[in-house]
Amino acid sequence: MTSGSTTVEVPVLTPGQRIGVALDRPTPGPVSWLAPEALGGFTPVTADVVPGGVRYRSANCRALTSRGAAVLHRDAAGHLTGGERLPPASVSCAPGERVLPVVLVPGSEVHPYCGLGPE
């Protein structure tokens, strides 16, 4: 996705998966579709905002490559009010469950970008 001079690579999405993109007026760029068998059984990494940080969960057998995360901010009515990006070092794509410290406003949702290959 591109917005002005900023480009964000959104890694593998599985069918039906929802992802956030923290760019102002994003424009989708080239899309590469992989055959489902190319994923080798990998599943998306999920994230929840918890007191003191973000809890990342991965059911994968090995770590994926972190490419950061989009953080979407919503008001009490659920309307989108803004967004930001977390750098790759602040996002866990490792197997299991990890809580990493970060301060986010109430109503934030985190969408980790975890890919199969190196950066």
Side-chain angles (χ1 to χ4, degrees):
M1 303 239 153
T2 302
S3 176
S5 63
T6 303
T7 299
V8 174
E9 178 183 336
V10 178
V12 175
L13 297 174
T14 56
Q17 183 183 354
R18 184 174 156 254
I19 193 94
V21 177
L23 289 174
D24 184 33
R25 300 179 197 275
T27 304
V31 175
S32 298
W33 294 103
L34 299 174
E37 56 273 7
L39 297 178
F42 287 104
T43 60
V45 175
T46 61
D48 296 302
V49 178
V50 296
V54 176
R55 177 181 295 124
Y56 296 95
R57 289 185 187 92
S58 174
N60 296 307
C61 61
R62 72 169 175 87
L64 300 176
T65 301
S66 174
R67 293 199 173 90
V71 179
L72 302 181
H73 304 294
R74 297 185 182 275
D75 64 16
H79 299 112
L80 189 61
T81 61
E84 63 184 288
R85 293 197 63 221
L86 294 177
S90 296
V91 177
S92 175
C93 296
E97 186 174 297
R98 288 190 170 62
V99 175
L100 297 181
V102 66
V103 177
L104 298 172
V105 298
S108 297
E109 58 184 61
V110 178
H111 298 272
Y113 296 165
C114 298
L116 294 175
E119 290 188 55

